[in-house]
Every structure is written in C-alpha cells, then in structure tokens.
Amino acid sequence: MNSRQPIPVVVLAGFLGSGKTTVLNHLLGNRGGTRIGVVVNDFGAIEIDAMSVAGQVGDSMVSLGGGCLCCAVDGSELDAYLEKLAAPAHRIDVIVIEASGLAEPQEMVRMLMASENPDIRYGGMVQVVDAAEFDATRARHPETDRHLAVADLVVLNKTDRVDSAERARIEARLAELCGPGTPVVGAEHGRIDPELLFDRRPWTETRGQLSFEDLLAQDQEPEHDHGHDCGHDGGHGRCSHAHAAYESTEFVSEQALSPRRFIDFLDRRPAGLYRIKGFVYFGVPGHEERYEVHAVGRFLRFAPQPWGRGEARLTQLVLIGSGTDGAGLLAELEACREPAPREARPESMWGVLRYVARPAADRARAEAEPAEVEPAEAEPF
C-alpha cells in the first residue's frame, strides 16, 4: 500500500511574454533541496536534476529517466506524464505545469481536480501578468479576464517597467477582474519566493558531482550576491530574492480549533496572505485525525491524516504574506480555539469537508447516482 502523500501539482499560466519561464527558472534556481518535476509548454515532462541549466532543454524533446518524450501533450496524455513523474523512483516533491501561452488553464485545472491518480493532487493555479503590457495583452487576448477570474494567485511581473501610479492602476483593475480576495504578488524578473508555492527541503543531497543547483548557483552568484543571510536557501546563507518582503507568522495550539470559526477565518483572510500551510486539530467526534491544510492564494485544500504513534495533538500553522498584520492574524486564530471539541456536532465539520478531495471510488458512486450537491460545490477552488 502506498503511504506517500500525494504530490501537489501547481499550474503556472500566463500569455506569451508574460514571464512564465522566467518565474519557473527562478523557482528552479531557488528550490533548496526540493525535487521539482516540470511539464513544460504542453510538450514534455522532466525531473529537474537531469537538466544542467534551467531553460536549456528544448520544449519538444526532454528526458525522463533515460527515455525521451517527443510527443506533444494533449489532455488525454497529461495523466500519463503526471503518472510517470509521480513514480516513487523519481522522488518528486512538487510538479509545476508551465501551460502554453495560448492554453486554457481552467481546463487543465478541471483535469487535475478530476484525476483518478492517488499520487497527485491539485496545488493551485498561478497566473503571470506582464505589467508593462497589461492593457495591450487584454486587448489582444480578451480571454485574459476569464483566466484571471479563476486564478488562485496572480504574479504581476515586470513591475520595474512601470511607475508607481501605473502599478497602482493595474492592481486596482486586477482586484476587479480576479475573484474576491485573490492575492496579487509584485515581481521583477519573475523573482517570487518559492515558499509561496511549495516547501523547500534542506539542500543536503550529494551525488559525487556538481548537481543542477550547484551549477546554477555558480552561474548566478555574482549577479545575486546581496551579501546577507536570509535563511531561505536551504542552509547556504545567501538569498536571491532579497527584494521580496514577505512576513511569516507561526501559530501553535495544544487546544483544538473550532472548524466553523477556522473556516470563517480562512474565508476572511486578507489578500496579502499568500500561503497557509500546516496541520489542524479539530477533535470533533468522528474527525479526530489531523487535517493538513494547504492554501495558495484563494485555493484551499484539507487532507485528513492519521496521527503518528505518540504524536501530540497540536495545531501547527505557518502563514506567509506581505503587508499582513501578524499580531492580528494570531489574535484571530486564538479566537478559533475550542475548549470543548468533544461536544461539537458532526455537522460543524461540513465547511472543512467541502475542501477535502473525495476518493476516486466516492466520485465514481457520485457519478453513477443522482447527487444533491454538484461536484464544483463539493471540491471548490
């Protein structure tokens, strides 16, 4: 039986020239010890350690485990590529799909949400926007507005090419076009903190030769030598995203949380709160498991997991954002504490369970029988 946790799959979308590949290369160069699998431009899949330099592998022919994938990916093939990347032999931690500049990312999201593969899970959609070409892109591609409406996180790239007044105008327009509360992260040259999308592991693995990241670090060090230790590079003491001012707030509670109050907190989370990760203990009868919580922008997902033998029943959360009130967030979370979880009724968990992915067998039964709740309501994003 496979005891591994499903691998999150993040969709990176945006029109041609917005800077998707630049964002992707930055993520690869600052991934710590995280092993990233990539599906690029609907063409192929690759385990990143096989690359020598980010961006140097051709779109139409890439390597995976010694073989070549030369065929263009379509909807029917995406699952096959993800299945290969999710194989235990590759030890992938996260998969990033760089969608074609002319793709319909919401279709890719639907495929991921409906996937029967237990080894992967949808991890959110990130839309990259070119600040300097914002109006021109919307004029050429009216579907931009539709893509923004379903994005979980928006990266406003190339902010160095517009002045502060123009940036403010674009951000105000994005607030109208995006879903309520969708965060907008400003970036120059695609530099965003990878922690906004996935966890970076300690950079400790050695293979007796220079790894992909060793080579990339050597190539980039002079350009990104900011001369300070930020603690975000897997122990190397140097930060290549010092321009980004993100705050991290940690919350730990030995007392259970009220599922209703916690969901209310999540529903009201500020737009500057880009990422929430950790585990929550509700302690409601019939739901005593720990619930992993993962939020990227608007995207939210819970995954119930058994407690380890002797593991303390705790809620442990990390909240990452910009311009957020850390003390205020902690006060709101403190107000979610529940002194008597055993007295809570089972229906108090309904809000949480709406964000738990249903097993494939349950989905099959739901499709075979009339359902009172539409799938979109049962698995929101």
Side-chain angles (χ1 to χ4, degrees):
M1 181 177 179
N2 183 10
S3 61
R4 296 189 309 147
Q5 293 301 313
I7 300 170
V9 181
V10 177
V11 176
L12 185 63
F15 285 99
L16 297 170
S18 61
K20 295 189 306 299
T21 301
T22 304
V23 171
L24 178 58
N25 284 342
H26 177 74
L27 295 176
L28 300 181
N30 295 274
R31 64 191 175 95
T34 301
R35 297 174 69 87
I36 306 176
V38 180
V39 179
V40 181
N41 289 335
D42 296 343
F43 283 107
I46 181 170
E47 199 282 301
I48 293 308
D49 277 342
M51 297 171 61
S52 59
V53 179
Q56 296 301 305
V57 176
D59 288 339
S60 60
M61 183 174 180
V62 292
S63 172
L64 175 63
C68 290
L69 303 174
C70 307
C71 300
V73 177
D74 59 25
S76 64
E77 294 174 310
L78 181 59
D79 266 343
Y81 285 107
L82 293 176
E83 183 177 355
K84 290 180 179 179
L85 281 175
H90 302 302
R91 294 179 292 150
I92 295 294
D93 298 308
V94 62
I95 297 172
V96 178
I97 298 178
E98 182 190 349
S100 164
L102 300 177
E104 288 291 341
Q106 59 267 49
E107 294 301 322
M108 201 168 297
V109 170
R110 289 193 184 99
M111 283 191 287
L112 292 171
M113 296 288 284
S115 174
E116 301 291 326
N117 186 346
D119 294 325
I120 65 168
R121 61 175 172 83
Y122 175 57
M125 174 188 151
V126 180
Q127 181 79 12
V128 183
V129 174
D130 183 341
E133 299 291 334
F134 179 67
D135 294 326
T137 299
R138 291 183 65 216
R140 288 194 304 269
H141 304 287
E143 60 271 33
T144 298
D145 294 0
R146 185 173 68 253
H147 297 178
L148 288 169
V150 299
D152 297 302
L153 180 71
V154 174
V155 175
L156 182 60
N157 196 28
K158 307 183 187 180
T159 55
D160 54 314
R161 295 181 56 190
V162 297
D163 59 29
S164 57
E166 176 65 0
R167 176 173 175 174
R169 181 189 71 83
I170 295 172
E171 289 177 341
R173 190 72 182 106
L174 287 172
E176 297 172 355
L177 296 171
C178 296
T182 302
V184 177
V185 180
E188 299 178 10
H189 308 290
R191 297 172 190 160
I192 64 171
D193 192 331
E195 291 283 351
L196 299 184
L197 304 182
F198 55 80
D199 297 335
R200 279 178 291 186
R201 300 184 184 277
W203 188 11
T204 58
E205 182 172 314
T206 302
R207 301 190 177 186
Q209 60 182 0
L210 287 177
S211 69
F212 161 76
E213 193 158 5
D214 291 325
L215 293 168
L216 193 61
Q218 286 186 359
D219 183 56
Q220 291 184 341
E221 186 168 356
E223 178 184 355
H224 297 294
D225 187 357
H226 297 291
H228 75 281
D229 189 339
C230 71
H232 283 270
D233 65 345
H236 278 59
R238 194 171 302 280
C239 174
S240 63
H241 52 268
H243 64 285
Y246 301 117
E247 301 95 31
S248 177
T249 302
E250 298 182 1
F251 175 77
V252 178
S253 174
E254 295 181 0
Q255 196 171 69
L257 299 192
S258 161
R260 284 176 171 163
R261 291 197 291 274
F262 186 59
I263 285 293
D264 183 57
F265 165 79
L266 294 174
D267 286 343
R268 294 182 291 102
R269 63 191 186 272
L273 185 54
Y274 304 138
R275 177 101 190 273
I276 302 173
K277 58 182 180 177
F279 301 93
V280 186
Y281 172 51
F282 296 115
V284 175
H287 303 279
E288 289 90 351
E289 312 98 319
R290 70 175 188 173
Y291 280 76
E292 180 188 15
V293 60
H294 169 77
V296 172
R298 286 195 310 141
F299 174 72
L300 174 64
R301 179 184 179 275
F302 286 96
Q305 301 172 1
W307 296 96
R309 179 175 298 179
E311 185 177 2
R313 272 48 174 171
L314 291 174
T315 290
Q316 297 176 295
L317 297 172
V318 176
L319 301 91
I320 303 172
S322 178
T324 54
D325 176 7
L329 292 174
L330 289 176
E332 290 190 57
L333 287 169
E334 292 284 351
C336 293
R337 293 179 188 267
E338 175 53 63
R342 300 292 301 174
E343 298 176 9
R345 297 179 63 85
E347 55 264 32
S348 66
M349 287 291 296
W350 287 354
V352 171
L353 297 178
R354 289 183 65 241
Y355 295 94
V356 174
R358 290 184 296 175
D362 290 350
R363 287 201 299 266
R365 279 196 300 270
E367 292 172 0
E369 302 172 0
E372 295 181 2
V373 180
E374 292 297 324
E377 295 178 4
E379 296 180 334
F381 59 92

